[in-house]
Amino acid sequence: MTIDVYWRIGMSGDHASLRTPKVRNRGDWGGLGPGNIAPAVRGGQPDGYAYIDHAAAVAKASEAAGFLGGLLPSFPGTEDPWALSAALARETSTYRFMVAFQPGFLHPLQAARMSASLQRATGGRLVYNIISGGGGPAQLWWGDKVDHDDRYARTSEFLDVLKGVWRGEPHDVDGRFFTTRGAALPDHLTGEPFPEIYFSGSSAAAVNAAGLHADYYLSWLEPFGDLARKFDGVREHAAKLGRTPKFAVRIDVLARHTEEAAWAEIEKGWRHVDPAVATRQARGDSVGAARIKGWVPDTITGYRDVEVQPNVWAGFSLLRGGPAFGLVGSYEQVAQRLDELLDLGVDAFILAGNPHLEEAYRVGEEVLPLLGRSRFTQPRAVREPAPVA
Amino acid sequence: MTGFLWELPTRRDGRRADPTLWRRGGFDHLHQVVDAAELSGVDGVVATYDPDGEESWIVAGGALRHTRHCRVVVEFTPSFGTPVYAAKMSLTLQRLGADRLDWLLKVDTDPEDDRRRGDRVGGAARYERAAEFLTVARGVWSGRGAAPGGFDGGEFDHHGRYFDVVAGGFDEAADGHAFPVVHLSGTSPEAIALSAAHGDVHLFSASTPDLTADVRALAAAAAQHGRTVRTGLVLPVIAREDEHEAWARVLRLWREIDPSATERELRSRARDGVLFHGFDRIGHRARAGLVGSYDQVARRLGDYTRAGIDTVVLSGHPAIEEIHRAGEHLLHLADPAGRTLRGARA
């Protein structure tokens, strides 16, 4: 079996690099200051390009650099992955669109129709990242009142309905969350491959819900021991359901030709970090998903304080929005760490780095070959769209 | 100036009356149609909601990415998901398409389609839900507080019968981007009331018996809310160089369903000579539309403009050919003001 390697795409602009963590100059999130790209300012006016034009470049770069596709995350205040995938469908040929979505926001028949049409538009390149929602205020922002454990039950029912209607046979459901009568995809939307499912969440409720549906359990990077324990927990629980789970890890990467050069990059970004903010995050007081409490000292004075094990750095969330942990080091070191994760049983990586465009080339050219490209699933057109009858 | 939109054939397309015989389909074909509309000077395309067709949001996303001028109208039902999600997808589409996205909310849905989706909200309650849907979608669009890329909570709250939001709002993520222009349709009192309070453009069917009266009634209802609502017409069209050629086309199509039909019988379905009631039998979604020479059809379009119609949703099959015809022969006759070269290059 080969390893699937994806490269994330930024969903709310991007930075020129982590050296300028506060300046989001790619896209229109940063106020079109000097050096803004997509749109750029020409003759005193925005030039009419938009972030989509840069996102298209990132997707093409990911494709060219040997990645299978990209994760399109979804948060309040970011672009929507369905809309972005629909727009970019025809500008790439092998790039797989891993669309992050929460089952509560769309009716399952609607999601089935969108998915089937996207499969037809892309030639079968849609992948799901199913998120059941961490809860808290963000869930209510989305207009979702369902409780944590119920959300997993809803996810499970949602995927039951989605898979049920996919085959095009009339489908009746009397569920807790959804009801259908004779629901089915219309004839000419059937016959498309069902998208692979990357399932976020590894609580007992999550593993139960994922039971019959998940192809991959997706986790953010954590210190390797914790990750191994998490995998063991999922394996144990899945075994009771008669399943052998596959694992995927979402990892930020900052790799350079030497370890020193990599840390020098971090140091340049770290100059913009407020130590008080870092300490708040270390003590677990911050809002959001960057949970590093317990893994780092209570008081953070320098960037090496949050290197929790060799090359595993917990400071990424201080330099850009997103998860805290990532790998920092030479190409060889980062490749070694990825190899160690493969030894822990990882089957797929979703890698990321800022700026997404240039780092896609760098990681594709310098890091992945050290792992041995023969181990990776090679990008290829998944299949031609279903012929018109 | 009248805006001319074209209904995209999201199911399939062809030159026959029976849609099951249409051979053109899929996204390669849809993009040919979108390209035709963009190049022929059509003002926008409608990604129709068709339970048996391609999904309209996916069609709209591709259409926006591959056009510069055309507006793209996405048609969907309020039961498709949450209003927050509809607004969220729309904001991305506004960003990537330079604010060219419009909505066409289909409220009066087919009962069989409702049953499949398990949608138990029927009758007039559907209009109440649609009003709430639009209130929430507009509310989060302009609501302050959610930081781009992160989450701090917003200021928009809604506790309704169908939808809830707590501390919602897109905040500056939506700044500078227009909420989609909302198109609605229908002739029931509930439909008119919904448009009066929440619509931007109300689409009438061409079979409306007294269009002028309905347009006035809508304007009066909207005025009570201190609003104005633009009016539009859904209008299939078969226009040819001369009248005879146009009717010959109708006859050729009609004979697929009734081999003994005569041109005289068909013309009797157009009492005024141009407005033909029977398009639904020859592959169109709407019943009434225009048949005639380019001049005849253009004159009728001019009459509609004078009656207050400023948006016309055209359709024709096969779309690629009919769009070119409209662009080359019809639109500049119907709307010369916006389609005649001015200034130094004239």
Side-chain angles (χ1 to χ4, degrees):
Chain A
M1 207 191 70
T2 55
I3 307 301
D4 290 2
V5 187
Y6 291 82
W7 184 256
R8 181 190 61 189
I9 202 160
M11 296 296 277
S12 52
D14 201 359
H15 314 276
S17 77
L18 289 181
R19 296 179 185 191
T20 53
K22 294 188 195 309
V23 183
R24 240 188 298 192
N25 69 309
R26 299 186 182 188
D28 64 351
W29 277 262
L32 310 195
N36 209 83
I37 285 172
V41 175
R42 297 174 201 253
Q45 295 299 319
D47 64 2
Y49 287 102
Y51 182 64
I52 185 74
D53 299 297
H54 180 68
V58 175
K60 288 174 197 166
S62 311
E63 193 170 276
F67 293 96
L68 205 52
L71 168 63
L72 289 76
S74 172
F75 295 99
T78 66
E79 300 284 25
D80 174 73
W82 290 101
L84 214 65
S85 303
L88 294 178
R90 297 171 67 78
E91 285 173 77
T92 48
S93 48
T94 62
Y95 188 85
R96 296 188 197 176
F97 297 89
M98 191 188 290
V99 168
F101 77 103
Q102 297 199 30
F105 304 161
L106 293 170
H107 188 281
L109 184 56
Q110 171 70 17
R113 290 190 56 225
M114 285 167 72
S115 302
S117 269
L118 205 45
Q119 291 293 51
R120 287 165 54 78
T122 59
R125 292 185 282 129
L126 173 64
V127 179
Y128 290 145
N129 172 24
I130 302 282
I131 306 161
S132 298
Q139 222 46 40
L140 296 164
W141 182 95
W142 287 107
D144 184 14
K145 287 193 300 187
V146 175
D147 290 337
H148 176 271
D149 282 13
D150 275 354
R151 279 203 298 278
Y152 285 101
R154 178 178 62 188
T155 293
S156 187
E157 194 179 307
F158 178 93
L159 290 171
D160 282 339
V161 178
L162 185 46
K163 283 186 172 168
V165 302
W166 193 263
R167 284 181 289 274
E169 289 148 21
H171 197 70
D172 289 356
V173 174
D174 288 289
R176 278 181 61 202
F177 303 94
F178 306 105
T179 310
T180 62
R181 283 287 172 276
L185 283 180
D187 284 350
H188 85 274
L189 295 189
T190 59
E192 297 297 322
F194 191 79
E196 270 191 322
I197 295 175
Y198 282 65
F199 199 94
S200 294
S202 39
S203 66
V207 179
N208 272 332
L212 295 170
H213 295 302
D215 294 299
Y216 293 88
Y217 293 87
L218 175 60
S219 174
W220 283 336
L221 181 66
E222 290 174 4
F224 289 12
D226 297 85
L227 211 50
R229 276 189 290 281
K230 197 176 191 177
F231 291 168
D232 285 342
V234 173
R235 277 194 196 97
E236 195 181 313
H237 201 89
K240 290 180 201 152
L241 303 168
R243 299 264 295 174
T244 308
K246 289 194 282 186
F247 295 98
V249 190
R250 199 354 235 107
I251 309 172
D252 267 66
V253 168
L254 196 151
R256 289 294 182 270
H257 64 290
T258 64
E259 181 180 7
E260 293 70 31
W263 288 113
E265 281 298 315
I266 294 291
E267 185 181 14
K268 283 175 177 153
W270 190 261
R271 287 173 195 164
H272 302 275
V273 172
D274 178 350
V277 172
T279 295
R280 270 208 301 283
Q281 212 169 82
R283 294 177 183 176
D285 300 334
S286 69
V287 178
R291 287 182 288 271
I292 54 173
K293 184 181 157 94
W295 277 308
V296 298
D298 262 5
T299 303
I300 295 171
T301 53
Y303 62 91
R304 291 304 275 256
D305 288 350
V306 292
E307 187 186 7
V308 298
Q309 62 190 65
N311 309 110
V312 178
W313 194 62
F316 278 96
S317 51
L318 294 164
L319 298 185
R320 50 101 190 97
F325 289 103
L327 297 176
V328 178
S330 68
Y331 299 138
E332 289 76 11
Q333 286 172 323
V334 169
Q336 264 170 24
R337 298 290 95 81
L338 293 176
D339 262 336
E340 287 165 17
L341 289 169
L342 293 178
D343 292 340
L344 290 181
V346 171
D347 304 280
F349 290 122
I350 300 166
L351 304 178
N354 303 80
H356 287 79
L357 175 68
E358 295 93 318
E359 293 298 303
Y361 284 116
R362 182 193 299 279
V363 172
E365 288 163 356
E366 306 294 348
V367 178
L368 298 190
L370 299 176
L371 286 156
R373 273 181 186 272
S374 60
R375 299 176 69 173
F376 300 130
T377 310
Q378 295 303 310
R380 64 190 158 75
V382 178
R383 78 175 187 69
E384 293 301 308
V388 176
Chain B
M1 198 188 114
T2 308
F4 292 101
L5 311 177
W6 199 280
E7 267 182 21
L8 294 176
T10 52
R11 192 182 298 199
R12 267 179 206 173
D13 204 3
R15 60 183 80 253
R16 310 285 293 273
D18 177 359
T20 64
L21 300 174
W22 290 349
R23 297 261 176 265
R24 304 178 192 178
F27 278 79
D28 286 343
H29 167 251
L30 268 174
H31 279 269
Q32 295 268 79
V33 179
V34 170
D35 288 348
E38 175 82 355
L39 292 178
S40 302
V42 172
D43 299 302
V45 293
V46 181
T48 52
Y49 172 79
D50 178 350
D52 293 327
E54 299 293 350
E55 202 287 321
S56 57
W57 289 90
I58 302 300
V59 173
L64 282 164
R65 178 65 180 148
H66 295 281
T67 50
R68 260 188 277 170
H69 299 286
C70 269
R71 299 195 67 83
V72 175
V73 186
V74 60
E75 184 182 24
F76 64 101
T77 78
S79 65
F80 95 117
T82 69
V84 178
Y85 208 71
K88 189 81 162 33
M89 285 199 288
S90 297
L91 180 54
T92 288
L93 294 175
Q94 291 297 55
R95 280 180 184 285
L96 71 85
D99 294 331
R100 289 178 293 123
L101 179 73
D102 294 348
W103 282 8
L104 172 52
L105 211 53
K106 189 172 177 64
V107 182
D108 190 8
T109 39
D110 169 35
E112 179 51 34
D113 183 35
D114 294 342
R115 212 174 71 92
R116 283 194 211 115
R117 282 182 284 109
D119 184 3
R120 296 194 191 91
V121 179
R126 288 177 301 177
Y127 287 92
E128 181 187 275
R129 177 176 60 186
E132 204 181 310
F133 190 96
L134 290 168
T135 301
V136 173
R138 283 203 172 98
V140 295
W141 193 277
S142 48
R144 312 310 303 177
F151 182 75
D152 301 319
E155 288 175 0
F156 177 78
D157 288 304
H158 179 87
H159 302 282
R161 235 184 116 177
Y162 303 95
F163 308 110
D164 291 274
V165 175
V166 179
F170 294 170
D171 201 46
E172 58 208 80
D175 279 359
H177 292 283
F179 188 81
V181 175
V182 175
H183 295 62
L184 292 159
S185 63
T187 47
S188 67
E190 294 83 10
I192 298 296
L194 178 67
S195 280
H198 296 279
D200 298 312
V201 182
H202 188 90
L203 299 179
F204 288 100
S205 139
S207 49
T208 306
D210 189 350
L211 189 61
T212 315
D214 282 5
V215 169
R216 266 198 222 109
L218 172 65
Q224 287 183 359
H225 295 273
R227 308 180 70 244
T228 51
V229 178
R230 292 158 49 205
T231 48
L233 208 56
V234 176
L235 207 60
V237 64
I238 293 178
R240 293 291 185 272
E241 209 169 293
D242 61 48
E243 187 183 346
H244 173 74
E245 209 182 322
W247 285 103
R249 169 71 170 188
V250 178
L251 182 62
R252 207 269 289 147
L253 290 167
W254 202 276
R255 281 192 172 153
E256 283 185 33
I257 53 170
D258 175 9
S260 65
T262 64
E263 185 172 326
R264 198 161 150 232
E265 280 165 31
L266 292 178
R267 283 190 184 244
S268 74
R269 289 171 164 268
R271 264 169 293 167
D272 65 0
V274 182
L275 185 64
F276 171 66
H277 294 260
F279 272 98
D280 53 335
R281 303 285 305 278
I282 53 173
H284 287 257
R285 299 211 301 173
R287 178 154 171 267
L290 302 181
V291 176
S293 70
Y294 298 126
D295 278 330
Q296 284 175 316
V297 171
R299 273 203 302 277
R300 180 56 56 91
L301 288 170
D303 293 343
Y304 286 134
T305 303
R306 281 183 290 282
I309 300 291
D310 76 356
T311 300
V312 179
V313 182
L314 297 168
S315 62
H317 298 288
I320 292 169
E321 287 85 338
E322 293 299 320
I323 286 171
H324 280 89
R325 245 183 247 286
E328 288 170 335
H329 302 292
L330 180 63
L331 300 188
H332 60 87
L333 290 180
D335 178 39
R339 294 165 195 276
T340 305
L341 207 51
R342 285 189 296 261
R345 297 176 65 189

